[in-house]
Amino acid sequence: SVHTRDEVELPPPAIDNRLTVHPLWPEIDRISTEQIQAAFEGVGGEIGWQLFAEEGDMRMYRREMEVDGMVMDPLKAMHKVRGVSAREMCHYFFNPRYRYEWETTLETMTIVEEISSDAMVFHQTFKRIWPASQRDALFWSHVRADGDTYAVTNHSTTNNDYPANTGACIRLFVTVCLACRTSCPAGERPTRDNITTSIAYCSTVNPGGWAPAGVLRAVYKREYPKFLKRFTSYVQEQCHGKPLAM
Ligand code: 6CM
């Protein structure tokens, strides 16, 4: 078969050595480990998590949290997607080449640093939401395999070449984790026709400055389900007819 996708670009099954010698490594390792461990933890029985969107296998929960009047609601989503692997999901989420194709809140994206095959630093600006100021973010992104899970963790950082709050944008702070696990019926060989990938997506955004709580919550309520549905169907379309990468 013809391989249209370069195999070496898929998330590596082990941590890239170039990452472990980078100054950000201790933070990247600690936060990724914490996020991945927490990702699949239940929301059902815990107090404070409210279900705000449900469609097919997708369930989205939030916990209302305000600090000095600013909305910092942690969000957690669970979903199940057929026909694509955890590794493929993470490949499309991590690799900047595809980002404009599924990320609808994005205005610009700049690669600030290519640390290794599994870690990068990005600067992004987002579409302005009236009546708030436009936001930007600077964050590292790391993809890894952890046991039976593939996951991408994004977390805000700083860089002297990209100072916060100097132009039109207010810098927001983000911690995001997309964790994925693939299963197939016992005793069967995994194929596009028999695999299911369980997804846990967690996001906490600190808007970094004043934004009206009602507007922000309305935007999140509309945009997060839109993002997860669009991203997962995008990956299914991209993988259709390509050899399965586990
Ligand atoms: O996780 C998502 N995307 C990743 C790749 O871009 C990355 C992005 C994180 C930034 C999340 C910021 C969300 C805020 C979007 C609206 C703009 C806020 C303006 C506030 C002022 C009123 O992890 C998917 C993110 C999906 C977001 C709906």
Side-chain angles (χ1 to χ4, degrees), residues 93 99 102-103 105-106 124 126-127 129 132-133 135 137 139 154 172 174 176 201 203 205 207 211-212 215-216 219-220 223-224 227:
F93 192 72
R99 196 154 308 156
W102 58 263
E103 177 72 284
T105 60
L106 200 58
Q124 293 187 174
F126 301 95
K127 288 179 181 155
I129 293 164
S133 306
R135 260 51 180 188
F139 60 90
N154 295 341
L172 62 74
V174 65
V176 160
Y201 174 83
S203 170
V205 175
V215 174
L216 208 49
V219 168
Y220 291 166
E223 295 298 328
Y224 278 112
F227 143 68

Side-chain angles (χ1 to χ4, degrees), residues 4-245:
T4 48
R5 178 181 52 199
D6 198 344
E7 288 286 322
V8 301
E9 289 194 351
L10 284 159
I15 308 275
D16 188 325
N17 287 329
R18 284 173 295 172
L19 174 56
T20 63
V21 295
H22 190 278
L24 278 171
W25 166 246
E27 179 186 296
I28 290 177
D29 189 36
R30 176 177 56 83
I31 292 175
S32 300
T33 303
E34 285 169 11
Q35 289 292 316
I36 296 164
Q37 278 171 1
F40 284 104
E41 274 169 23
V43 280
E46 293 165 47
I47 33 167
W49 286 104
Q50 46 172 268
L51 181 70
F52 74 93
E54 192 171 9
E55 210 183 304
D57 290 316
M58 184 183 79
R59 306 227 183 318
M60 282 201 172
Y61 306 83
R62 69 173 176 201
R63 227 170 43 211
E64 291 200 359
M65 237 174 83
E66 282 173 38
V67 179
D68 298 328
M70 283 197 294
V71 172
M72 315 249 179
D73 300 356
L75 172 135
K76 188 163 184 132
M78 299 295 194
H79 200 3
K80 279 190 167 58
V81 180
R82 299 178 53 85
V84 297
S85 70
R87 193 178 182 203
E88 289 170 328
M89 274 286 166
C90 289
H91 169 67
Y92 288 99
F93 192 72
F94 174 75
N95 196 312
R97 183 190 311 164
Y98 312 108
R99 196 154 308 156
Y100 287 108
E101 293 177 25
W102 58 263
E103 177 72 284
T104 56
T105 60
L106 200 58
E107 192 156 284
T108 64
M109 177 198 60
T110 309
I111 298 171
V112 172
E113 190 179 352
E114 288 197 65
I115 298 174
S116 49
S117 61
D118 52 3
M120 302 187 125
V121 177
F122 296 104
H123 178 258
Q124 293 187 174
T125 62
F126 301 95
K127 288 179 181 155
R128 180 167 176 250
I129 293 164
W130 184 90
S133 306
Q134 192 182 14
R135 260 51 180 188
D136 71 350
L138 183 78
F139 60 90
W140 53 254
S141 185
H142 169 52
V143 61
R144 68 162 60 168
D146 184 321
D148 61 351
T149 302
Y150 266 99
V152 179
T153 307
N154 295 341
H155 182 75
S156 283
T157 187
T158 55
N159 183 300
N160 290 337
D161 296 335
Y162 294 83
N165 308 324
T166 49
C169 284
I170 295 181
R171 180 68 46 89
L172 62 74
F173 303 93
V174 65
T175 305
V176 160
C177 183
L178 177 86
C180 306
R181 283 178 187 159
T182 301
S183 60
C184 86
E188 291 183 26
R189 188 177 52 86
T191 69
R192 288 240 180 265
D193 298 324
N194 70 8
I195 59 168
T196 299
T197 292
S198 297
I199 297 174
Y201 174 83
C202 305
S203 170
T204 303
V205 175
N206 173 341
W210 181 83
V215 174
L216 208 49
R217 289 206 167 105
V219 168
Y220 291 166
K221 192 173 181 170
R222 184 184 66 226
E223 295 298 328
Y224 278 112
K226 188 173 145 194
F227 143 68
L228 199 57
K229 284 188 284 178
R230 186 182 163 95
F231 173 69
T232 52
S233 49
Y234 172 77
V235 177
Q236 284 177 315
E237 282 162 28
Q238 292 297 307
C239 291
H240 185 80
K242 291 190 182 133
L244 175 65

